[in-house]
Amino acid sequence: MTRRSPDIEKPTDRIAVFPGSFNPFTIGHLSIVERALPMFDRIIIAVGINTAKPVDPESLDKRLSDIRNATASLESIEVASYSGLTVDFAKEHGARFILRGVRSVADFEYERQIADVNRTIAGIETVMLFALPEYASVSSSIVRELQSYGHDVTTFLP
Ligand code: ADP
């Protein structure tokens, strides 16, 4: 959902892609988007699809609409899905930055490697924000696990 017409977009606009699985989109993800907004003219939240692990179209649509609802009050946010390399998606959308969140040392080392490769192959810089302490233990995988046992997960969702 673009809330800004592409024809008024300037080549100097600072556009960031925030890629992830967002399965589901949590309060931790939303917090990263909100805190990064002042840094960019536009943020594209991009749900990455691993072609080796096909996702059914209905669940992808639901994921996208959940993210759109969660970010409906925010300006300059777009929500999309993609497959393939994140840097290729970023370039196609005129984005010079990738946005990521870091919760732990494990996240840090993983993100550092990917950021390094993305800068080397595409000249795209990664901007990382540290998770707020209160969200540092929130993860989509834990939310999914709780859901699988029928536990209420609304505290972790926007
Ligand atoms: P991926 O499968 O690419 O790691 P995720 O949907 O799990 O996708 O996460 C997307 C991004 O959001 C990653 O940079 C991840 O570190 C970050 N992230 C996930 N949960 C949180 C959180 N609670 N606080 C801050 N950042 C987070």
Side-chain angles (χ1 to χ4, degrees):
M1 187 192 301
T2 314
R3 297 204 183 82
R4 178 177 185 151
S5 161
D7 53 22
I8 57 164
E9 195 170 279
K10 303 182 291 297
T12 51
D13 272 359
R14 277 178 305 215
I15 303 169
V17 170
F18 182 34
S21 321
F22 305 119
N23 186 23
F25 190 78
T26 68
I27 46 173
H29 295 129
L30 181 61
S31 151
I32 294 293
V33 172
E34 288 175 337
R35 290 166 58 210
L37 270 178
M39 301 177 203
F40 300 104
D41 296 301
R42 189 153 65 92
I43 296 175
I44 306 170
I45 303 172
V47 179
I49 307 300
N50 179 351
T51 38
K53 277 198 272 169
V55 51
D56 89 272
E58 254 178 53
S59 87
L60 177 60
D61 283 349
K62 164 93 169 67
R63 220 183 291 176
L64 294 172
S65 69
D66 284 348
I67 301 174
R68 289 192 179 111
N69 290 336
T71 56
S73 63
L74 305 175
E75 298 273 325
S76 315
I77 297 291
E78 192 178 325
V79 181
S81 63
Y82 73 103
S83 52
L85 284 181
T86 305
V87 290
D88 290 339
F89 176 84
K91 285 190 155 178
E92 280 159 24
H93 290 77
R96 289 176 289 143
F97 306 97
I98 287 174
L99 172 66
R100 297 284 286 177
V102 182
R103 286 162 293 183
S104 61
V105 173
D107 271 359
F108 177 86
E109 190 48 27
Y110 174 73
E111 298 294 344
R112 190 195 61 73
Q113 279 190 1
I114 297 176
D116 212 12
V117 170
N118 286 341
R119 192 181 50 254
T120 305
I121 65 173
I124 291 188
E125 287 289 359
T126 298
V127 173
M128 294 199 285
L129 290 182
F130 291 107
L132 292 183
E134 59 269 40
Y135 298 148
S137 300
V138 177
S139 76
S140 300
S141 55
I142 288 177
V143 170
R144 284 200 306 277
E145 172 110 17
L146 289 172
Q147 274 172 329
S148 74
Y149 291 103
H151 199 282
D152 177 42
V153 291
T154 45
T155 3
F156 302 117
L157 303 180

